[in-house]
Amino acid sequence: LYLMSALGELPKLDAVVFADTQYEPKQVYQHLEWLKSLNTGIPIYRVTAGNIKEDALHSKVGARLGENGDFSAASLPYYTSRGGMIKRQCTSYYKIRPIHKKIRELAGYKPYERIPIGTIELWLGISMDEQRRVRQSREHWITNIYPLIFSKPMNRQDCLNWMAQHNYPHPPRSACLCCPFHSDTEWRNIQNSPEEWKNVVAFDEKIRHLDSLNEELFLHKSLKPLKNIDFR
Protein backbone atom coordinates (compact mmCIF):
# COMPACT_ATOMS: atom_id res chain seq x y z
CA LEU A 1 0.00 0.00 0.00
CA TYR A 2 2.86 2.35 0.88
CA LEU A 3 4.60 1.77 -2.45
CA MET A 4 1.37 2.00 -4.47
CA SER A 5 0.59 5.30 -2.77
CA ALA A 6 4.11 6.60 -3.45
CA LEU A 7 3.76 5.71 -7.16
CA GLY A 8 0.34 7.33 -7.45
CA GLU A 9 -1.58 4.09 -7.99
CA LEU A 10 -3.49 4.86 -4.80
CA PRO A 11 -4.21 8.21 -3.09
CA LYS A 12 -1.36 9.85 -1.16
CA LEU A 13 -1.00 8.65 2.42
CA ASP A 14 -0.26 11.06 5.26
CA ALA A 15 1.84 8.56 7.21
CA VAL A 16 2.65 4.91 7.81
CA VAL A 17 2.91 3.40 11.30
CA PHE A 18 4.80 0.17 12.04
CA ALA A 19 4.24 -1.37 15.48
CA ASP A 20 7.45 -3.10 16.54
CA THR A 21 7.19 -5.99 19.03
CA GLN A 22 11.01 -6.00 19.12
CA TYR A 23 11.03 -9.74 18.32
CA GLU A 24 10.58 -9.98 14.55
CA PRO A 25 12.84 -11.69 12.01
CA LYS A 26 15.82 -9.58 11.00
CA GLN A 27 14.54 -9.53 7.39
CA VAL A 28 11.51 -7.53 8.54
CA TYR A 29 13.69 -4.80 10.04
CA GLN A 30 15.90 -4.78 6.95
CA HIS A 31 12.85 -4.38 4.72
CA LEU A 32 11.56 -1.56 6.90
CA GLU A 33 14.86 0.28 6.56
CA TRP A 34 14.75 -0.22 2.79
CA LEU A 35 11.28 1.33 2.65
CA LYS A 36 12.50 4.31 4.67
CA SER A 37 15.49 4.76 2.35
CA LEU A 38 13.20 5.41 -0.63
CA ASN A 39 12.42 8.93 0.64
CA THR A 40 8.96 9.02 -0.93
CA GLY A 41 7.76 11.96 1.14
CA ILE A 42 5.45 9.69 3.12
CA PRO A 43 6.85 9.40 6.66
CA ILE A 44 7.18 5.98 8.29
CA TYR A 45 6.90 5.91 12.07
CA ARG A 46 8.10 3.03 14.23
CA VAL A 47 6.32 2.63 17.58
CA THR A 48 6.53 0.01 20.31
CA ALA A 49 4.77 -1.06 23.49
CA GLY A 50 7.82 -3.00 24.65
CA ASN A 51 9.72 -6.21 23.98
CA ILE A 52 7.17 -9.00 23.63
CA LYS A 53 9.74 -11.73 24.32
CA GLU A 54 11.01 -10.23 27.57
CA ASP A 55 7.50 -9.29 28.69
CA ALA A 56 6.19 -12.78 27.94
CA LEU A 57 8.76 -14.37 30.24
CA HIS A 58 7.49 -12.20 33.10
CA SER A 59 3.78 -12.31 32.34
CA LYS A 60 0.83 -13.97 33.98
CA VAL A 61 -1.82 -15.38 31.65
CA GLY A 62 -5.15 -13.59 31.87
CA ALA A 63 -3.93 -11.04 34.41
CA ARG A 64 -4.69 -7.35 34.37
CA LEU A 65 -1.88 -5.16 33.15
CA GLY A 66 0.24 -3.98 36.05
CA GLU A 67 -1.49 -6.16 38.65
CA ASN A 68 1.01 -6.69 41.50
CA GLY A 69 3.35 -4.55 39.40
CA ASP A 70 5.41 -7.46 38.12
CA PHE A 71 3.90 -8.73 34.90
CA SER A 72 2.15 -7.84 31.68
CA ALA A 73 -1.34 -8.94 30.70
CA ALA A 74 -0.39 -9.32 27.05
CA SER A 75 -0.15 -13.10 27.00
CA LEU A 76 0.61 -15.05 23.83
CA PRO A 77 -1.78 -17.72 22.49
CA TYR A 78 0.29 -20.67 23.73
CA TYR A 79 -0.85 -24.25 23.23
CA THR A 80 -1.43 -26.05 26.53
CA SER A 81 -0.71 -29.65 27.50
CA ARG A 82 -4.45 -30.21 27.96
CA GLY A 83 -5.06 -29.45 24.31
CA GLY A 84 -6.36 -25.92 24.61
CA MET A 85 -4.98 -22.55 23.61
CA ILE A 86 -4.45 -19.43 25.70
CA LYS A 87 -6.52 -16.38 24.73
CA ARG A 88 -4.48 -14.04 22.55
CA GLN A 89 -3.94 -10.60 24.07
CA CYS A 90 -0.69 -9.66 22.33
CA THR A 91 -2.10 -8.18 19.11
CA SER A 92 -4.18 -5.60 20.93
CA TYR A 93 -1.41 -4.60 23.34
CA TYR A 94 1.63 -4.66 21.04
CA LYS A 95 0.05 -3.72 17.69
CA ILE A 96 -3.34 -2.00 17.78
CA ARG A 97 -2.94 0.19 20.86
CA PRO A 98 0.48 1.69 19.99
CA ILE A 99 -0.67 2.36 16.41
CA HIS A 100 -3.82 4.12 17.60
CA LYS A 101 -1.77 6.10 20.11
CA LYS A 102 0.55 7.33 17.34
CA ILE A 103 -2.33 8.17 15.00
CA ARG A 104 -3.96 10.23 17.75
CA GLU A 105 -0.67 12.08 18.24
CA LEU A 106 -0.20 12.70 14.50
CA ALA A 107 -3.75 14.05 14.25
CA GLY A 108 -3.02 16.52 17.04
CA TYR A 109 -5.20 15.03 19.76
CA LYS A 110 -4.19 14.52 23.38
CA PRO A 111 -4.71 11.22 25.23
CA TYR A 112 -8.41 10.73 26.06
CA GLU A 113 -9.39 13.84 24.09
CA ARG A 114 -12.57 13.19 22.14
CA ILE A 115 -12.05 12.86 18.38
CA PRO A 116 -14.97 13.44 15.97
CA ILE A 117 -16.50 10.39 14.29
CA GLY A 118 -14.69 9.26 11.13
CA THR A 119 -11.76 11.68 11.47
CA ILE A 120 -9.15 9.09 10.49
CA GLU A 121 -9.07 6.71 7.53
CA LEU A 122 -6.88 3.76 8.46
CA TRP A 123 -5.67 1.64 5.55
CA LEU A 124 -5.13 -2.05 6.21
CA GLY A 125 -3.21 -4.23 3.76
CA ILE A 126 -5.55 -7.21 3.93
CA SER A 127 -5.94 -8.84 0.52
CA MET A 128 -8.79 -10.66 -1.23
CA ASP A 129 -7.84 -14.07 0.15
CA GLU A 130 -8.38 -12.81 3.72
CA GLN A 131 -11.73 -11.08 3.34
CA ARG A 132 -12.91 -12.77 6.54
CA ARG A 133 -10.71 -10.30 8.44
CA VAL A 134 -12.62 -7.25 7.20
CA ARG A 135 -14.33 -5.45 10.07
CA GLN A 136 -15.30 -2.04 11.32
CA SER A 137 -13.00 -0.28 13.76
CA ARG A 138 -13.98 -0.37 17.42
CA GLU A 139 -12.90 3.26 17.62
CA HIS A 140 -15.62 5.65 16.42
CA TRP A 141 -13.02 8.11 15.13
CA ILE A 142 -11.37 5.55 12.83
CA THR A 143 -12.80 4.24 9.56
CA ASN A 144 -11.04 1.08 8.39
CA ILE A 145 -10.22 1.11 4.67
CA TYR A 146 -9.28 -2.03 2.69
CA PRO A 147 -7.80 -0.88 -0.66
CA LEU A 148 -6.65 -4.39 -1.70
CA ILE A 149 -10.24 -5.63 -1.47
CA PHE A 150 -12.45 -2.74 -2.56
CA SER A 151 -10.31 -0.21 -4.47
CA LYS A 152 -7.67 -2.39 -6.11
CA PRO A 153 -8.71 -6.04 -5.61
CA MET A 154 -5.62 -8.22 -5.25
CA ASN A 155 -4.78 -11.49 -3.53
CA ARG A 156 -1.48 -12.25 -1.84
CA GLN A 157 0.13 -13.61 -5.01
CA ASP A 158 -1.02 -10.56 -6.95
CA CYS A 159 0.79 -8.40 -4.40
CA LEU A 160 3.99 -10.44 -4.73
CA ASN A 161 3.74 -10.28 -8.52
CA TRP A 162 3.29 -6.49 -8.32
CA MET A 163 6.44 -6.21 -6.21
CA ALA A 164 8.40 -8.33 -8.69
CA GLN A 165 7.12 -6.35 -11.70
CA HIS A 166 8.47 -3.17 -10.12
CA ASN A 167 11.80 -4.83 -9.25
CA TYR A 168 11.09 -4.46 -5.53
CA PRO A 169 12.44 -7.06 -3.08
CA HIS A 170 10.24 -9.90 -1.88
CA PRO A 171 8.61 -8.61 1.32
CA PRO A 172 9.09 -10.82 4.40
CA ARG A 173 6.09 -11.65 6.57
CA SER A 174 5.85 -9.50 9.68
CA ALA A 175 5.28 -11.82 12.66
CA CYS A 176 6.95 -12.39 16.00
CA LEU A 177 9.55 -15.15 16.01
CA CYS A 178 7.67 -16.79 18.88
CA CYS A 179 4.17 -16.66 17.34
CA PRO A 180 2.24 -19.93 17.96
CA PHE A 181 0.26 -19.32 14.76
CA HIS A 182 3.30 -20.05 12.57
CA SER A 183 2.79 -22.78 9.99
CA ASP A 184 5.41 -25.54 9.75
CA THR A 185 6.77 -23.79 6.66
CA GLU A 186 7.27 -20.61 8.69
CA TRP A 187 8.96 -22.52 11.51
CA ARG A 188 11.25 -24.08 8.90
CA ASN A 189 12.14 -20.64 7.56
CA ILE A 190 13.13 -19.52 11.05
CA GLN A 191 15.10 -22.77 11.44
CA ASN A 192 17.13 -21.75 8.39
CA SER A 193 18.46 -18.80 10.37
CA PRO A 194 20.66 -20.48 13.03
CA GLU A 195 20.87 -17.46 15.34
CA GLU A 196 17.11 -16.79 15.32
CA TRP A 197 16.33 -20.51 15.65
CA LYS A 198 18.59 -20.85 18.69
CA ASN A 199 16.91 -17.82 20.21
CA VAL A 200 13.33 -19.02 19.71
CA VAL A 201 14.15 -22.58 20.85
CA ALA A 202 15.51 -21.12 24.09
CA PHE A 203 12.32 -19.08 24.47
CA ASP A 204 10.20 -22.19 23.88
CA GLU A 205 12.05 -24.03 26.66
CA LYS A 206 11.55 -21.16 29.12
CA ILE A 207 7.76 -20.93 28.70
CA ARG A 208 7.10 -24.58 29.52
CA HIS A 209 6.06 -23.84 33.12
CA LEU A 210 5.67 -20.12 32.77
CA ASP A 211 2.34 -19.71 34.50
CA SER A 212 0.33 -21.14 37.38
CA LEU A 213 -2.05 -23.14 35.18
CA ASN A 214 -0.75 -26.54 36.30
CA GLU A 215 -0.13 -27.45 32.68
CA GLU A 216 2.74 -27.07 30.25
CA LEU A 217 2.84 -24.39 27.56
CA PHE A 218 4.12 -24.86 23.99
CA LEU A 219 4.64 -22.79 20.83
CA HIS A 220 3.73 -25.67 18.49
CA LYS A 221 0.36 -27.40 18.16
CA SER A 222 2.01 -30.84 18.41
CA LEU A 223 2.68 -30.06 22.10
CA LYS A 224 6.33 -30.93 21.58
CA PRO A 225 9.43 -28.79 22.16
CA LEU A 226 10.45 -27.00 18.96
CA LYS A 227 13.89 -28.61 19.05
CA ASN A 228 12.31 -32.08 18.75
CA ILE A 229 10.06 -31.40 15.75
CA ASP A 230 10.77 -32.36 12.15
CA PHE A 231 9.02 -29.59 10.21
CA ARG A 232 9.32 -31.40 6.88
Side-chain angles (χ1 to χ4, degrees), residues 2-228:
Y2 170 75
L3 294 169
M4 286 179 174
S5 175
L7 292 177
E9 293 188 23
L10 288 172
K12 190 69 175 290
L13 287 163
D14 294 308
V16 172
V17 185
F18 172 70
D20 183 10
T21 65
Q22 300 184 40
Y23 198 42
E24 299 240 9
K26 61 183 179 182
Q27 292 93 337
V28 170
Y29 297 113
Q30 291 169 350
H31 191 76
L32 180 64
E33 292 307 311
W34 172 74
L35 289 171
K36 287 182 176 181
S37 73
L38 298 178
N39 297 317
T40 65
I42 303 172
I44 298 177
Y45 297 94
R46 184 169 171 176
V47 298
T48 185
N51 187 308
I52 194 171
K53 174 191 173 185
E54 298 304 321
D55 290 349
L57 295 177
H58 299 90
S59 69
K60 185 173 182 179
V61 174
R64 291 186 177 181
L65 184 64
E67 186 178 320
N68 296 338
D70 60 356
F71 48 73
S72 163
S75 58
L76 276 68
Y78 303 115
Y79 293 96
T80 72
S81 55
R82 294 180 184 174
M85 204 173 189
I86 302 297
K87 181 181 178 181
R88 177 172 61 173
Q89 298 171 302
C90 49
T91 299
S92 175
Y93 184 75
Y94 290 95
K95 289 288 186 179
I96 298 174
R97 286 206 275 178
I99 288 174
H100 285 183
K101 181 180 178 181
K102 186 63 179 180
I103 292 173
R104 176 182 281 272
E105 174 192 314
L106 292 172
Y109 290 91
K110 299 176 182 178
Y112 306 111
E113 183 179 354
R114 182 169 177 79
I115 305 177
I117 294 174
T119 297
I120 300 297
E121 287 191 354
L122 178 60
W123 291 12
L124 296 133
I126 293 173
S127 54
M128 290 290 290
D129 35 4
E130 292 189 307
Q131 290 189 61
R132 66 186 184 282
R133 296 176 60 192
V134 171
R135 55 179 58 86
Q136 291 184 334
S137 172
R138 293 182 179 181
E139 301 291 341
H140 71 275
W141 51 279
I142 292 178
T143 300
N144 287 344
I145 304 294
Y146 299 89
L148 298 180
I149 294 178
F150 300 109
S151 301
K152 197 176 180 70
M154 298 172 72
N155 60 32
R156 179 177 176 81
Q157 190 57 52
D158 291 333
C159 294
L160 295 176
N161 292 342
W162 185 91
M163 293 289 288
Q165 288 164 8
H166 289 79
N167 294 316
Y168 292 143
H170 184 99
R173 180 171 178 264
S174 175
C176 297
L177 288 170
C178 59
C179 183
F181 290 124
H182 284 322
S183 65
D184 283 358
T185 298
E186 289 165 333
W187 282 123
R188 192 163 58 246
N189 288 338
I190 297 173
Q191 200 172 34
N192 290 332
S193 174
E195 182 179 350
E196 291 181 340
W197 179 246
K198 181 180 178 180
N199 192 301
V200 77
V201 164
F203 176 85
D204 178 57
E205 294 297 309
K206 290 178 181 178
I207 67 165
R208 201 72 67 234
H209 300 283
L210 184 65
D211 204 53
S212 56
L213 299 176
N214 296 319
E215 53 186 322
E216 294 181 316
L217 303 177
F218 297 86
L219 291 182
H220 194 266
K221 60 186 177 182
S222 66
L223 305 183
K224 296 178 182 179
L226 289 180
K227 64 182 181 181
N228 295 338

